[in-house]
């Protein structure tokens, strides 16, 4: 009986507590469901969202507007103050009391109160030129390191050695031309062997010039002197190139052979592109056929325009079809220059190239070896070319010219230029 009485009293107290809390629940539900409460809740959330998106940048902008007009050094955004160029310029030939006007060309006039802010970061404006050459050299070393890393990741993993053949002879413009090709070779990022063949024998002038390159060079000479006619020069230069190819065979130099005349101009893309050749390749050569006599050159151009021909720069190189297969060759059209081309080196007339210039061909040096692994059978022996009077191009080395590999987007990209500009043969500059 006592147990049942206790259970009834507990249940009665629990039911009374439920009845007391019922009005509170109903009031809270009605408060939540009221339109005013929902409206303010939504408005509060919208304001929070807007503040989240725009509030931070707006507060930073207001901060800069308020404190950027201050002239005190404590509000400077930069860790170091600007340097005044006027204090770095010394004029030893002018007294200190004399006012000196400093030119403003190619120079930034810094202002300690000026600030450039992009977003949340300040940009430090340095004077130009940079006052510290050590910092400039550090920047160049960083750029060089970045380029080296890019070549290591995206370039050729195992680049082959380049074997560059250059025929030359002592003349007025030799230093001009040979320095240009030497500087191009010094910029090549691959191992390089430079074979320089000199007409008339090895001279100290040429040896001292190529020694400045610090490249691995092979300097040899031929006894025959360079003829005064362009036809004779073309024939002798072909024999000089064959002499260099025999050196490649005798020394068993392994790499890619290219022909770089001392007056040609080369794009740095050429040295990357020829790494793709397997055995024998060809690139397009832009022909810069200029005349020493301006009137004669203009008359030739006028005749070409009247004939309705294209006056664009002529190009020698491989011709491909839509399938990027070799179908022929683009050659230089010499008909507009009939009876107006130069015969001798000192003639003031247009210098014409050969039908196909050597500068447009590259080959694997293993083609020249007596015994080489996987050497193709469509290659002539180098000894067979010694009996030929005139060798037009390296295509004489091939039994089947269809095996040539067109490079440079199948010949559509010009990455080497042919040019012949010489002084009079009796010129005495420089001395010796």
């Amino acid at each position: 009986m006592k147990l049942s009485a206790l259970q009834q009293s507990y249940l009665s107290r629990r039911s009374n507590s439920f009845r007391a809390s019922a009005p509170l629940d109903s009031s809270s539900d009605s408060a939540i469901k009221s339109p005013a409460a929902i409206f303010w809740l939504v408005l509060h959330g919208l304001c929070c969202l807007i503040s989240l998106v725009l509030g931070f940048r707006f507060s930073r902008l207001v901060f800069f507007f308020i404190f950027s007009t201050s002239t005190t050094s404590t509000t400077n955004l930069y860790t170091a103050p600007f340097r005044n160029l006027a204090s770095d310029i010394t004029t030893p030939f002018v007294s200190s009391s004399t006012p000196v006007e400093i030119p403003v060309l190619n120079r930034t006039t810094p202002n300690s109160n000026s600030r450039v802010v992009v977003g949340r970061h300040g940009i430090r404006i340095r004077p130009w030129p940079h006052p510290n050459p050590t910092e400039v050299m550090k920047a160049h070393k960083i750029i060089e390191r970045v380029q080296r890393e890019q070549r290591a990741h995206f370039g050729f993993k195992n680049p082959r050695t380049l074997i560059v053949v250059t025929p030359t002879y002592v003349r007025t413009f030799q230093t001009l031309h040979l320095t240009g090709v030497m500087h191009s070779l010094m910029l090549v990022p691959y191992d390089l062997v430079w074979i320089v063949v000199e007409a008339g024998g090895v001279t100290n002038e040429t040896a001292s010039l190529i020694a400045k390159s610090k490249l691995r060079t092979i300097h040899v000479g031929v006894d025959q002197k360079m003829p005064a006619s362009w036809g004779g020069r073309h024939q002798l230069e072909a024999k000089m190139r064959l002499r260099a190819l025999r050196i490649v065979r005798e020394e068993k130099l392994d790499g890619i052979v290219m022909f770089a005349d001392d007056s040609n101009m080369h794009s740095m893309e050429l040295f990357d592109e020829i790494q793709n050749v397997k055995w024998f390749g060809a690139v397009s050569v832009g022909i810069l056929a200029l005349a020493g006599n301006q009137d004669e050159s203009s008359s030739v151009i006028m005749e070409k325009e009247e004939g309705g021909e294209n006056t664009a720069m002529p190009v020698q190189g491989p011709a491909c079809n839509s399938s990027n297969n070799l179908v022929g060759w683009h050659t230089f059209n010499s008909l507009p220059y009939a009876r107006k081309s130069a015969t001798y080196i000192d003639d003031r007339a247009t210098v014409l190239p050969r039908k196909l210039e050597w500068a447009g061909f590259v080959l694997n040096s293993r083609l020249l070896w007596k015994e080489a692994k996987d050497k193709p059978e469509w290659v002539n022996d180098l000894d067979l070319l010694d009996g030929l009077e005139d060798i037009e191009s390296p295509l004489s080395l091939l039994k089947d010219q269809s095996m040539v590999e067109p490079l440079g987007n199948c010949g559509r990209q010009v990455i080497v230029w042919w040019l012949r500009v010489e002084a009079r043969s009796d010129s005495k500059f420089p001395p010796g």
Side-chain angles (χ1 to χ4, degrees), residues 254-323:
D254 191 9
I256 302 173
V257 180
M258 62 171 292
F259 305 94
D261 295 343
D262 57 2
S263 59
N264 288 352
M265 290 167 286
H266 307 84
S267 171
M268 299 309 297
E269 298 178 7
L270 170 68
F271 304 101
D272 295 328
E273 183 64 25
I274 62 179
Q275 290 285 343
N276 297 315
V277 69
K278 182 179 180 180
W279 289 110
F280 196 99
V283 297
S284 293
V285 181
I287 304 299
L288 304 177
L290 302 178
N293 190 338
Q294 185 176 0
D295 297 335
E296 186 174 353
S297 177
S298 61
S299 64
V300 172
I301 294 176
M302 289 298 295
E303 290 181 4
K304 291 180 68 176
E305 290 180 351
E306 292 175 359
E309 297 182 7
N310 187 11
T311 59
M313 180 183 65
V315 175
Q316 286 184 357
C320 300
N321 55 16
S322 58
S323 302

